[in-house]
Amino acid sequence: MHGGTEPSAWVQRWAPLIRPGGKVLDVACGSGRHLRWMAARGHAVTGVDRDAQALAPLQPLGDLIVADIEAGPWPLPGETFDAVVVTNYLWRPLMPTLLQCLAPGGVLIYETFTEGQARIGKPSRPDFLLRPGELLTVAQGLRIVAYEDGFLASPDRFVQRVAAIRPGAPGAEPARYPL
């Protein structure tokens, strides 16, 4: 199983960029490893997944939405969040919607598999694997704070990941993004 029960090290590393107490959207949240972690840190959490059974035990944490975001309409039209978290999931038609969900100063924390993954395991379908530099293209217009594209062990996987921030108000004091 990809992801396990512990939150992604990438999510943990860049979560301090999220406004304290901010609203966090976890897309394709599954069993809620990031929802639990974010809620424990005082964030208001919203999770979206098509698996109602996986979401059921997460109900006390925040807003949980059962939706097939690949076949149906986006369930949160017009809503914005202080962070959008996506791990181990890729549905390219959803990318513009996810960016629209970012409030000014909002953080995109995204990590998923790349083309190299097909040689070592699942997912192996090109539809579910990022092309080289693809997250940089997706995050164009955001401030890229961190980006990686490479191989991780335990479990072995090829990943690409980005932490990027929607610019805040023009003329505001420059934000300090701790690295």
Side-chain angles (χ1 to χ4, degrees), residues 27-28 68-72 74 86 88-100 108 110-118 123-139 147 149 158-160:
V27 178
D68 185 343
I69 55 180
E70 295 174 17
W74 178 243
V86 186
N88 300 336
Y89 179 76
L90 176 62
W91 183 246
R92 287 179 177 92
L94 190 61
M95 294 294 203
T97 301
L98 297 180
L99 295 179
Q100 290 170 0
L108 173 66
Y110 205 121
E111 174 182 36
T112 198
F113 304 99
T114 66
E115 291 175 342
Q117 185 67 22
S124 57
R125 284 185 43 201
D127 289 349
F128 303 136
L129 301 172
L130 290 166
R131 296 179 290 269
E134 188 169 354
L135 282 180
L136 289 175
T137 302
V138 166
Y147 171 80
D149 186 350
F158 285 88
V159 299
Q160 195 174 130

Side-chain angles (χ1 to χ4, degrees), residues 10 21 27 31 36 38 44 51 95 115 117 133 139 162:
W10 187 254
V27 178
S31 61
R36 292 176 200 281
M38 293 287 183
D51 186 347
M95 294 294 203
E115 291 175 342
Q117 185 67 22
V162 70

Side-chain angles (χ1 to χ4, degrees), residues 13-14 26 30 33 39-40 50 73 79 84 86 88 93 96 109 127-128 138 140 143 157 159 166 172 175 178:
R13 179 172 180 196
W14 299 109
D26 189 353
R33 65 187 174 130
R50 66 181 176 190
E79 286 201 46
V84 173
V86 186
N88 300 336
I109 303 173
D127 289 349
F128 303 136
V138 166
Q140 198 169 16
R143 174 144 183 196
R157 64 212 185 273
V159 299
R166 176 172 301 291

